[in-house]
Amino acid sequence: MNAIVAAALRMTAYAFVSRRFVFVFAIALVCTNASARSALAEPAPDAARPVGAIGAPRAMTLPEALAYAHEHQPRIRAALARVSAERVQADVASGPWLPTVGVTAQIFGATANNTTAGYAAFSAIDIPRIGGTRAVSAGSATLTPYASTFAGLGVTQEVFDFGRIAAQTAAADALVEVRKHDADAERLDIEFNVEESFFAVQAAKGVLAAAEGAFERARAHRDLAQAGVKSGLRPPIELTRAEADLQRFDTGRTRARGGVSIAQNVLATAIGSNDPAVDAADSVKSPADMPALATAIRRASERDPHLRMALAQLKAQEERSRAIGAELRPNLSATATISARAGGASPSSGDRADYAGWLPTVPNWDVGLVLSWPIFDGTTIARQKASRALEDVRKDEIDIARQLLVARIEQAYVAVEVIRAALPSLVHALDAAMANYTQADARFRAGLGTSVELADAEALRASAEIDLAIGTFELAKARAAFGRAIAEGL
């Protein structure tokens, strides 16, 4: 979005110049922060915005813009999708409680020293070993191959896991909580960007109103100067100066209109709209009074998503450490198998299998309990130790998050107080500038004042009007930033 910011600066920065007075339109500030923030996600390719759309953009109130962003802003949808994906991933940990069912069919040609039915291990089926040929010595062993076949259906069911699966499930659920807090932080950032963009549109419209007013007054003065020159009551230089001022204010009016269009486009992008521009309705609910600084810090400590996410990450790491340690616990499972087999080699006793072992005609079944216990695993112990070390890192990150939170709240609090204290001065400056302009206008109409004096008064008035519009925007923006710092939207 740096290109948008640069375009806003080029289009909106122009000067009301008179003698040593130079005022640069501060509407660039309106678009810079709002467009540079990460809330400006690009629309989907299949929802490209129309080019050259005709008609005035639709207007939204601030609550409507926030509600629209909650539903359509791609970053919010992506954050919620990450939460859903993490929740589905957490279900994997509880999967071992479901039975495992498998089928296998095998055929071999192999030697049969000491066993008739040969078969390969299959993870889905537990196959107890059955059968055997007569034992032979090394000298009497033979390399003659015999057919061996096997077919079976098996079921394995977890019976008791000694808390291993519960520990893994808890670790996965803790990651879901981390994602939820991350989504909350994303939503708060989007809300702040929408509020900032909304106030930017209003500030841009205020600047445009000041530019329009300056142009209309300059045109009236040009007409007076023209009439005075025609009647011989004023020198021609009065008309040329008035004409130059009129063209300068006309240029400023055109650029101010461009600033409004840019601010409206930024607002449309911030809320995730496919429209090329969205206008801000005039009605804005006054923000609530700021709580005391100590109260604000206490409230934010309870609900700030970044801090809560840091705490959730610590809990997730602790659960992860416990889950790794639980891998060394015993495991008790039930197993059942239905199988048929046959071996072509001569057994140590009994009859030889039919069809020389090429068809599994000898049936068997089994039901049993299997207890397994990995008493010592150096890799698992090392993994748990590494996870414990990461817990110390997460604890330090919590301290950092708390420190940043307090600093952010204090800075936002002071910013609101400073801007709020300066706002009455801007109002008084506008009153004084308007009074000065009224006097200069009266002197000019009476033939006592010059166009230079009137241009100075006009520039001072326009500057004061724009200063007040920008000051109002900065106060609204600072209050929104304070609300973001204390997680007011949660």
Side-chain angles (χ1 to χ4, degrees):
M1 301 307 297
N2 290 334
I4 296 180
V5 178
L9 290 170
R10 287 194 299 270
M11 291 187 64
T12 58
Y14 70 93
F16 288 112
V17 182
S18 178
R19 295 180 182 175
R20 293 185 302 169
F21 172 80
V22 178
F23 179 80
V24 179
F25 255 140
I27 185 59
L29 297 174
V30 169
C31 299
T32 300
N33 289 333
S35 60
R37 292 184 179 273
S38 57
L40 304 183
E42 295 296 332
D46 59 347
R49 295 178 182 169
V51 179
I54 301 176
R58 60 172 171 169
M60 290 186 180
T61 63
L62 183 55
E64 290 173 345
L66 291 172
Y68 189 95
H70 289 166
E71 185 176 354
H72 297 89
Q73 173 53 243
R75 287 183 58 190
I76 291 181
R77 295 203 308 268
L80 295 177
R82 287 192 293 269
V83 174
S84 298
E86 196 69 55
R87 186 177 289 111
V88 174
Q89 183 67 27
D91 294 338
V92 175
S94 59
W97 284 117
L98 299 175
T100 301
V101 180
V103 177
T104 183
Q106 305 177 16
I107 182 171
F108 294 93
T111 58
N113 295 316
N114 201 43
T115 184
T116 291
Y119 44 84
F122 181 53
S123 60
I125 301 178
D126 296 327
I127 308 171
R129 181 178 179 277
I130 300 176
T133 58
R134 61 186 180 86
V136 298
S137 63
S140 60
T142 176
L143 298 181
T144 302
Y146 301 94
S148 179
T149 55
F150 178 90
L153 169 65
V155 178
T156 303
Q157 172 63 56
E158 185 74 37
V159 176
F160 190 69
D161 69 330
F162 295 88
R164 186 189 70 260
I165 298 176
Q168 294 172 348
T169 302
D173 290 340
L175 292 177
V176 176
E177 291 300 317
V178 173
R179 284 299 181 191
K180 287 181 180 179
H181 296 315
D182 181 55
D184 288 339
E186 195 77 58
R187 180 166 61 84
L188 275 178
D189 288 340
I190 294 298
E191 288 179 352
F192 172 66
N193 285 311
V194 170
E195 291 171 349
E196 184 182 25
S197 302
F198 187 91
F199 299 140
V201 173
Q202 292 189 323
K205 291 163 70 175
V207 171
L208 176 60
E212 293 281 6
F215 174 79
E216 294 299 331
R217 291 188 296 271
R219 181 164 58 183
H221 297 153
R222 189 276 313 271
D223 294 342
L224 285 175
Q226 189 176 48
V229 171
K230 286 183 178 181
S231 64
L233 298 177
R234 293 183 181 275
I237 193 173
E238 295 286 348
L239 177 59
T240 56
R241 175 56 190 264
E243 188 67 39
D245 287 336
L246 177 63
Q247 296 306 316
R248 177 161 54 91
F249 290 131
D250 187 32
T251 301
R253 180 181 63 164
T254 301
R255 288 174 173 168
R257 288 171 179 169
V260 172
S261 298
I262 291 175
Q264 290 173 338
N265 178 265
V266 169
L267 176 59
T269 309
I271 66 175
S273 173
N274 292 321
D275 295 336
V278 172
D279 194 16
D282 293 334
S283 59
V284 176
K285 183 180 178 181
S286 299
D289 293 336
M290 292 191 302
L293 184 57
T295 302
I297 294 175
R298 187 185 72 254
R299 291 179 183 175
S301 299
E302 297 173 354
R303 59 189 181 184
D304 178 70
H306 291 293
L307 179 58
R308 296 178 69 183
M309 184 167 62
L311 292 170
Q313 287 174 335
L314 173 60
K315 182 180 178 181
Q317 196 63 51
E318 292 172 344
E319 296 292 348
R320 176 63 178 163
S321 299
R322 283 192 284 269
I324 294 175
E327 294 177 8
L328 295 176
R329 298 177 185 177
N331 187 66
L332 182 64
S333 60
T335 178
T337 306
I338 298 176
S339 64
R341 69 195 74 198
S346 298
S348 58
S349 63
D351 298 329
R352 188 176 181 180
D354 297 332
Y355 309 107
W358 289 104
L359 290 176
T361 58
V362 180
N364 286 284
W365 63 269
D366 65 84
V367 176
L369 291 175
V370 178
L371 176 66
S372 59
W373 190 353
I375 297 176
F376 179 82
D377 186 335
T379 301
T380 301
I381 294 174
R383 287 170 52 219
Q384 186 182 36
K385 185 177 180 180
S387 182
R388 295 292 186 192
L390 285 177
E391 291 179 19
D392 295 333
V393 176
R394 298 290 181 248
K395 292 176 183 177
D396 293 335
E397 290 175 348
I398 291 174
D399 293 337
I400 294 174
R402 283 199 177 99
Q403 187 178 42
L404 291 176
L405 175 63
V406 173
R408 188 165 58 245
I409 293 174
E410 291 175 343
Q411 293 171 7
Y413 190 92
V414 172
V416 173
E417 292 295 327
V418 170
I419 296 174
R420 181 175 290 168
L423 203 58
S425 298
L426 296 177
V427 175
H428 294 328
L430 177 58
D431 292 340
M434 293 182 68
N436 177 71
Y437 170 80
T438 300
Q439 295 174 3
D441 181 62
R443 285 172 53 82
F444 184 79
R445 293 178 183 276
L448 301 176
T450 65
S451 59
V452 173
E453 178 183 282
L454 186 59
D456 281 345
E458 180 59 59
L460 184 62
R461 174 176 175 174
S463 173
E465 289 176 344
I466 295 173
D467 281 345
L468 182 57
I470 298 301
T472 303
F473 161 71
E474 289 178 343
L475 178 59
K477 173 186 171 183
R479 182 59 182 83
F482 177 78
R484 168 63 185 89
I486 64 174
E488 200 169 49
L490 290 178

